[in-house]
Amino acid sequence: MNIHTPAAQLTQTTGAPEKPSRAEAEDAIRTLLRWAGEDPAREGLQDTPARVVRSYEEFFRGYAEDPVALLARTFEETEGYDEMVVLRDIRIESHCEHHMVPIIGKAHVAYLPGTRVVGISKLARVVDAYAHRFQIQEKLTAQIANTICDVLQPRGVAVVIEANHQCMSTRGVHKPGASMVTSRMLGAFRDDPSTRREFLAMISPRSCTSVEA
Ligand SMILES: [Zn+2]
């Protein structure tokens, strides 16, 4: 699978390489345990391959989800609401496709409605559907923005993701405090500096403190 694969193809199972059996996947975990220096037959590890495979079913459930379908149900009765819709601090749990270790962070998603709006939880589900795959953060950011843009046809879409990569914090250069920030701005968020500024102010940690007042 490469970065240019359209969203629709990502969710097809027919074109994908044949899926190995559960037993084959568990055998692969035993091989990795032996590679690390372990005895997969010792008591504490006996159920580990089955647990790891079940964990993979959770971590990578996004391959079975269709982000386009998640956004299909929209609402047109908006009483003329045409301001920005922002969902911020959406937790991201993904896995780096280079090292297969976690990427943990948060996403902020905004759009400027055209004629249709979508249930706000659907934006979070689109984030999850793409995050629960092997990813690089740049591709994840682009896929979320492009899908919202294609399906909702809004006047603009903005996605910002900030995340920590365990391939950088627990190995390699060992920089646990470093986070990576990526963004994709489309339509008005790209073309209109005041729209972009408004969005960036809304997702800044200091904004909306009056909510608690
Ligand atoms: Zn990595």
Side-chain angles (χ1 to χ4, degrees):
M1 183 183 306
N2 71 49
I3 191 170
H4 301 296
T5 306
Q9 285 181 27
L10 293 173
T11 53
Q12 283 180 357
T13 49
T14 47
E18 194 184 337
K19 190 169 178 164
S21 69
R22 180 172 295 266
E24 286 175 307
E26 292 181 7
D27 276 343
I29 302 304
R30 284 184 199 96
T31 301
L32 287 175
L33 284 167
R34 286 205 310 279
W35 174 252
E38 266 294 353
D39 170 13
R42 82 173 166 81
E43 193 185 3
L45 292 175
Q46 276 179 12
D47 295 329
T48 296
R51 287 193 199 96
V52 172
V53 168
R54 284 200 298 275
S55 297
Y56 262 47
E57 287 177 317
E58 274 186 59
F59 295 155
F60 304 109
R61 63 176 187 263
Y63 291 106
E65 291 174 3
D66 180 356
V68 172
L70 288 173
L71 293 176
R73 184 148 181 261
T74 57
F75 304 92
E76 296 193 5
E77 289 181 19
T78 58
E79 299 286 339
Y81 184 88
D82 61 357
E83 298 292 328
M84 198 177 291
V85 176
V86 183
L87 188 61
R88 61 181 194 178
D89 298 326
I90 308 163
R91 173 151 168 109
I92 293 268
E93 296 174 353
S94 191
H95 282 77
C96 142
E97 70 183 22
H98 298 145
H99 301 93
M100 298 168 63
V101 294
I103 300 170
I104 303 293
K106 55 190 179 180
H108 314 286
V109 175
Y111 70 102
L112 269 171
T115 55
R116 293 179 296 176
V117 297
V118 71
I120 197 81
S121 68
K122 299 296 166 52
L123 297 177
R125 292 190 63 191
V126 168
V127 170
D128 274 348
Y130 283 121
H132 285 89
R133 300 176 184 195
F134 286 106
Q135 280 291 2
I136 62 171
Q137 190 174 320
E138 296 89 333
K139 180 173 69 173
L140 175 60
T141 308
Q143 285 176 327
I144 296 165
N146 293 350
T147 299
I148 294 169
C149 192
D150 290 348
V151 181
L152 292 188
Q153 311 247 306
R155 287 173 293 138
V157 178
V159 176
V160 170
I161 296 178
E162 40 189 304
N164 295 301
H165 293 237
Q166 288 191 8
C167 57
M168 208 180 132
S169 59
T170 65
R171 57 162 296 287
V173 294
H174 294 274
K175 296 290 181 240
S179 58
M180 178 167 165
V181 181
T182 48
S183 69
R184 182 157 178 86
M185 309 275 175
L186 300 172
F189 292 90
R190 172 172 290 202
D191 303 333
D192 180 353
S194 68
T195 300
R196 189 164 54 242
R197 264 199 309 276
E198 183 186 351
F199 166 64
L200 293 174
M202 286 174 97
I203 65 167
S204 87
R206 290 174 305 285
S207 72
C208 297
T209 47
S210 59
V211 171
E212 284 133 5

